[in-house]
Amino acid sequence: YSTHVIGKFKCYNNTYSKDGWASKKVAILIRGYPRNSYNALVFNQYCKSCTQLGTLILDKELYIN
């Protein structure tokens, strides 16, 4: 199942002062498996300042249910 979530990204490149950015469309791919298990593949985004991949920080409270 292909969908999207809301999240924030953190850039760990110390050269730039930008801490991170918010995104209202983070692409994810959810795969279901037998016995009600699943995994989710998150497609990260690139930092516009340094072009390195940011790390997703997901607001778990928003998606707890």
Side-chain angles (χ1 to χ4, degrees):
Y1 179 70
S2 180
T3 188
H4 65 273
V5 294
I6 297 170
K8 294 180 183 178
F9 285 90
K10 175 79 174 155
C11 181
Y12 290 100
N13 186 346
N14 294 334
T15 307
Y16 299 94
S17 61
K18 187 176 181 179
D19 290 332
W21 64 95
S23 178
K24 292 185 179 182
K25 281 204 165 187
V26 179
I28 64 170
L29 179 62
I30 301 171
R31 293 184 180 127
Y33 296 98
R35 292 190 289 258
N36 209 20
S37 64
Y38 68 94
N39 70 7
L41 176 64
V42 177
F43 296 91
N44 285 338
Q45 298 178 2
Y46 285 98
C47 176
K48 290 182 181 178
S49 298
C50 67
T51 66
Q52 291 188 20
L53 280 177
T55 302
L56 177 66
I57 302 168
L58 187 64
D59 183 358
K60 294 175 188 170
E61 294 296 320
L62 187 60
Y63 295 102
I64 200 94
N65 291 326

